[in-house]
Amino acid sequence: MDTNRLTVLHFAVHGLAILEALELLDREAAIRWVYSMQLRSGGFRGGSFLGSTDGSSAAATYDQMHIAMTYCALLILKTLGDDLGGVDKVSGAKHAAKMAAVTDGRLS
């Protein structure tokens, strides 16, 4: 479940938005948590299961951005009124472009 925490938050936030009940959520705490899932290398991960996001944990080699989690993070942040000023757009875009650069239809 830890790898999917960002997805769970995505569904919770957007469910509350559909119900016009976002006031039930602590927006600032949710925004802070989403940003805590942003990796220094760009993009977001789904949970804190591999430790620190600064690359200092023993599992840092395996702690890569996840395109679906990055998408969920961006949607959550915008829905909660964040201006995305804390998003490392350059690194995230480079990672996404690298993933989509395979010519045979696979994602790397």
Side-chain angles (χ1 to χ4, degrees):
M1 174 75 158
D2 197 61
T3 60
N4 296 313
R5 285 185 181 187
L6 206 48
T7 304
V8 172
L9 182 60
H10 163 76
F11 286 116
V13 165
H14 290 91
L16 289 170
I18 289 168
L19 297 172
E20 298 179 357
L22 278 175
E23 70 279 356
L24 298 174
L25 182 67
D26 182 344
R27 289 180 188 224
E28 293 306 314
I31 289 169
R32 278 192 308 276
W33 184 81
V34 171
Y35 274 118
S36 78
M37 294 300 104
Q38 184 173 212
L39 295 164
R40 189 168 60 182
S41 60
F44 292 80
R45 62 181 178 174
S48 57
F49 57 99
L50 288 176
S52 173
T53 58
D54 67 3
S56 65
S57 73
T61 301
Y62 308 104
D63 199 6
Q64 301 293 316
M65 86 168 266
H66 190 287
I67 195 71
M69 296 303 122
T70 299
Y71 182 71
C72 285
L74 296 174
L75 291 174
I76 292 165
L77 292 170
K78 285 304 284 182
T79 300
L80 295 179
D82 188 73
D83 66 0
L84 304 181
V87 174
D88 182 352
K89 297 174 185 83
V90 173
S91 296
K94 283 181 183 178
H95 260 79
K98 180 181 172 187
M99 290 176 66
V102 179
T103 58
D104 64 1
R106 296 180 290 122
L107 293 177
S108 59

